[in-house]
Amino acid sequence: MARVRRPRSVYGVGEEPDARFSLANERTFLAGVRTGLALLAAGVALEALDLPVQPGLRLAASLVFTVLGALAPVAAWRGWARDERAVRRGTALPAPTLVGPLTVGVTLAGSLLLLGLLVGSP
């Protein structure tokens, strides 16, 4: 009896690719998970440490980091599944979806922190 691999929406299409492509795709997924963990840690650290940053701006930056950290693994999973299906079908890889929101979010959080440092804590 053949072993059923899940998710079927990924493994049920196309042909089995060269293992190197699947393993590279998995490493990319894991990098997205690590990025999410780092963003969550940044969000928690901003609120846990007593930094000389205006509290409202620090909280806003912390929330941006935390939301990005929660969304990054979800986006990494979706990207893994899309890329794995493309590899199995022998089609071009789809464009990444996490790059834009991550860039905007980290830039926004960094800008909030910079502004909060310039304003200082009351």
Side-chain angles (χ1 to χ4, degrees), residues 34-47:
R34 285 190 303 273
T35 299
L37 287 170
L39 289 165
L40 285 171
V44 170
L46 279 175
E47 282 303 303

Side-chain angles (χ1 to χ4, degrees), residues 8 40 64 68 73-74 89 99 119:
R8 288 185 187 161
L40 285 171
V64 170
L68 286 174
V74 174
R89 290 178 177 143
V99 175
V119 171

